[in-house]
Amino acid sequence: MADNQLQVLNALDVAKTQWYHFTAIVIAGMGFFTDAYDLFCISLVTKLLGRIYYHEAGSLKPGSLPPNVAAATNGVAFCGTLAGQLFFGWLGDKLGRKKVYGMTLMIMVLCSVASGLSFSDKPKSVMATLCFFRFWLGFGIGGDYPLSATIMSEYANKKTRGAFISAVFAMQGFGIMAGGIFAIIIASIFDAQFPAPAYAEDALGSTVPQADFVWRIILMFGAIPASMTYYSRSKMPETARYTALVAKDATKAASDMSRVLQVEIEPEQILEEISTDKSKSFSLFSKEFMKRHGLHLLGTTSTWFLLDIAFYSQNLFQKDIFSAIGWIPPAQTMNAVQEVFKIARAQTLIALCSTVPGYWFTVAFIDVIGRFAIQLMGFFFMTVFMFALAIPYNHWTHKDNRIGFVIMYSLTFFFANFGPNATTFVVPAEIFPARFRSTCHGISAASGKLGAMVGAFGFLYLAQSPDKNKTDAGYPPGIGVRNSLLVLGVVNFLGILFTFLVPESKGKSLEEMSGENENNEQNNNGSRNVEMV
């Protein structure tokens, strides 16, 4: 054991992988499972909402959400998530991880249910209600990011900490897949019970009145997995690192972890000098903080921001890819519920083939080759594949070459998940002091959500054709898909550069990474000097 580390923290660092580790992964991971389900299930039902509430009599195509309504419906949860990451990240350092963890879950449960309700059957009222509750749903989801990562990092041993935090994040993949599978089941049931003709055959009759229940059920189902873990979260003890290093109660930390680890840990008194030492009392964003951790925070915020621009820009190409390989036929050849089925099937296949494997490759290798190498490799291959898609873009548009485009596209997002999409979540939970850990993770995650908004909505406008006659309805001219891909290639290259600001934390204790050991060592040395005198 390091002389300058509390026994309880050392016990956590060297603990063998035990049942409580897996329990913590499941409890925290189910939150992320729900987060992903709630954030991504809206994309399954936006086409259905357009058919139900924005049908235009005599139109050759089914109704669709106007651009501003579509942007609000899809993006309002991101705004809530960004606010929640900042607020609950800060609150997790002020009140403790455990106290705040239950709050975020209850918000998610209540708002998942409420987002499936509406105060009227008028389009504006339905959309306003949906957006209102999805903002607060996002607010709860936002809190789960810093708290789940911080709790898992503070519970884990240093040998497998990266894999444990990554495993929590990897539950996102299963959440996306579960959303698709549940939507497939609901759509299949409704299509069998309430058959309807295709839009081309009967425009009005293709959307049966019962289709209004489909989107509500899909959105409200997200409350179930979240509510299942509430009791377990309430029974988790506060993390020993928060109790010992922030609340200054090493005796309680030792007692809690003795029970969890099922080993005897002798309680220790924390020297008074630790809490009064000026070198350790610096505040967030103070000169001392910026000197010690400023570049690290710039590294975690910038890389997450750049990664999410590229990651969420996938919306640009999905409709072309799905139609190119026949997963989603033209909208007018299906009824409303069938379209939900086809979109859900496509999302499930993408999650199964690309998203989920990438996450679990990270879990397998993060403690072998390290966070830095995985992040650098991920950004590198994303840069290569983006430029490989962009430079010969006209080649990929030919029908015979579409399958190649799909493969390149899939590899781009495989290396996003076996790369920076996972590591940007892991690293901020490891490199900052305990009293700022949740806050700094929340700031980093919020920066990522800002990038997600740029990627999902900025590029939706940017990728429009320069020819105003070829743009999608309601959109102004943009720079085109090819130029957008080139910009995304540059974004990924910048990610490579900013990765060099992020330190490697593989195999190191949290106190070693944050510099808290140095402070304790100084205090211990000071105490020994006093004793000698």
Side-chain angles (χ1 to χ4, degrees):
M1 181 180 78
D3 292 337
N4 52 338
Q5 189 177 30
L6 288 170
Q7 186 181 344
V8 63
L9 304 186
N10 182 69
L12 283 168
D13 277 342
V14 300
K16 293 180 180 178
T17 300
Q18 300 177 35
W19 181 249
Y20 90 90
H21 286 120
F22 295 106
T23 303
I25 289 171
V26 170
I27 293 170
M30 282 305 291
F32 260 83
F33 177 95
T34 306
D35 296 348
Y37 181 97
D38 287 333
L39 280 178
F40 288 91
C41 70
I42 192 68
S43 63
L44 302 172
V45 299
T46 48
K47 296 283 189 183
L48 178 61
L49 289 168
R51 285 190 184 236
I52 295 171
Y53 297 108
Y54 291 90
H55 171 72
E56 293 182 13
S59 174
L60 296 176
K61 292 183 178 180
S64 61
L65 298 179
N68 60 329
V69 176
T73 306
N74 287 292
V76 71
F78 287 154
C79 298
T81 303
L82 188 153
Q85 287 163 337
L86 293 172
F87 177 73
F88 286 113
W90 168 79
L91 204 62
D93 283 333
K94 292 297 178 185
L95 301 183
R97 289 60 159 130
K98 180 188 173 180
K99 286 182 181 178
V100 183
Y101 212 26
M103 295 181 202
T104 63
L105 206 61
M106 286 312 299
I107 293 171
M108 287 159 59
V109 170
L110 294 173
C111 292
S112 288
V113 174
S115 63
L117 306 174
S118 59
F119 301 136
S120 169
D121 59 355
K122 300 290 187 291
K124 283 187 178 180
S125 299
V126 172
M127 292 300 122
T129 306
L130 178 60
C131 288
F132 176 81
F133 285 115
R134 281 194 64 79
F135 174 86
W136 291 108
L137 173 65
F139 190 67
I141 289 171
D144 232 38
Y145 275 73
L147 292 169
S148 290
T150 300
I151 286 171
M152 198 65 245
S153 73
E154 293 182 345
Y155 264 111
N157 60 54
K158 63 184 180 182
K159 184 179 178 182
T160 56
R161 186 178 60 235
F164 289 162
I165 306 172
S166 300
V168 170
F169 191 66
M171 292 299 286
Q172 272 199 341
F174 289 126
I176 295 168
M177 203 159 63
I181 291 169
F182 184 70
I184 287 170
I185 293 168
I186 295 299
S188 299
I189 292 170
F190 272 78
D191 194 38
Q193 291 295 317
F194 310 103
Y199 183 87
E201 297 172 23
D202 182 353
L204 198 57
S206 66
T207 306
V208 294
Q210 292 82 359
D212 195 46
F213 291 107
V214 172
W215 69 270
R216 298 174 191 274
I217 293 169
I218 291 171
L219 295 187
M220 293 168 80
F221 182 77
I224 294 176
S227 59
M228 286 168 61
T229 58
Y230 181 77
Y231 178 78
S232 300
R233 284 195 182 190
S234 67
K235 292 298 178 184
M236 287 180 78
E238 181 58 84
T239 69
R241 285 184 159 89
Y242 182 87
T243 305
L245 298 175
V246 183
K248 307 295 182 196
D249 191 346
T251 303
K252 187 174 189 314
S255 172
D256 288 344
M257 290 305 104
S258 291
R259 195 167 64 251
V260 168
L261 294 171
Q262 297 182 336
V263 296
E264 188 63 34
I265 302 174
E266 292 183 16
E268 301 162 271
Q269 293 299 319
I270 297 181
L271 296 172
E272 183 64 26
E273 290 92 330
I274 291 179
S275 57
T276 58
D277 180 31
K278 289 183 179 179
S279 70
K280 199 183 176 197
S281 62
F282 60 87
S283 59
L284 187 66
F285 299 130
S286 65
K287 187 176 180 181
E288 184 67 21
F289 174 87
M290 298 308 290
K291 177 183 173 184
R292 295 183 181 214
H293 304 290
L295 284 177
H296 295 164
L297 187 59
L298 176 61
T300 58
T301 53
S302 60
T303 52
W304 207 334
F305 174 77
L306 294 165
L307 174 274
D308 274 8
I309 291 177
F311 189 79
Y312 284 90
S313 70
Q314 62 184 296
N315 298 334
L316 298 178
F317 320 111
Q318 277 190 352
K319 62 180 181 181
D320 298 325
I321 287 170
F322 293 158
S323 58
I325 57 182
W327 286 357
I328 301 180
Q332 57 269 29
T333 64
M334 301 177 283
N335 65 42
V337 177
Q338 286 170 346
E339 188 171 30
V340 173
F341 176 90
K342 299 285 188 183
I343 293 169
R345 186 183 66 175
Q347 179 168 299
T348 305
L349 288 169
I350 285 288
L352 187 63
C353 298
S354 180
T355 307
V356 171
Y359 282 131
W360 290 97
F361 264 73
T362 301
V363 174
F365 291 106
I366 191 166
D367 288 312
V368 179
I369 61 177
R371 291 78 163 139
F372 179 83
I374 288 177
Q375 185 161 309
L376 202 65
M377 174 195 69
F379 271 128
F380 172 77
F381 281 111
M382 288 174 72
T383 304
V384 169
F385 288 126
M386 282 292 185
F387 282 131
L389 289 171
I391 294 169
Y393 181 69
N394 290 333
H395 168 79
W396 298 118
T397 58
H398 298 308
K399 192 172 182 179
D400 294 341
N401 302 323
R402 289 286 181 92
I403 297 301
F405 184 90
V406 173
I407 293 170
M408 300 279 276
Y409 169 87
S410 299
L411 284 170
T412 302
F413 290 98
F414 171 81
F415 281 106
N417 293 317
F418 180 32
N421 194 35
T423 55
T424 51
F425 176 80
V426 173
V427 174
E430 299 182 307
I431 63 176
F432 298 106
R435 66 190 188 281
F436 303 137
R437 187 168 291 135
S438 180
T439 303
C440 289
H441 194 285
I443 292 169
S444 302
S447 175
K449 273 298 164 279
L450 194 61
M453 286 185 244
V454 174
F457 306 110
F459 275 86
L460 200 58
Y461 285 85
L462 206 62
Q464 295 295 320
S465 171
D467 184 348
K468 64 180 181 180
N469 298 316
K470 295 180 180 179
T471 60
D472 293 338
Y475 288 94
I479 63 173
V481 173
R482 181 179 182 274
N483 290 330
S484 296
L485 283 167
L486 288 170
V487 172
L488 289 170
V490 173
V491 166
N492 289 321
F493 179 73
L494 289 174
I496 294 174
L497 300 182
F498 280 99
T499 294
F500 286 95
L501 297 177
V502 181
E504 178 57 75
S505 50
K506 178 172 77 83
K508 298 178 181 178
S509 74
L510 296 180
E511 289 68 46
E512 185 181 353
M513 288 305 304
S514 63
E516 287 165 300
N517 270 358
E518 297 170 15
N519 296 315
N520 289 359
E521 186 171 27
Q522 289 168 6
N523 288 313
N524 287 343
N525 290 339
S527 298
R528 283 194 286 270
N529 292 337
V530 169
E531 288 171 6
M532 290 172 64
V533 172

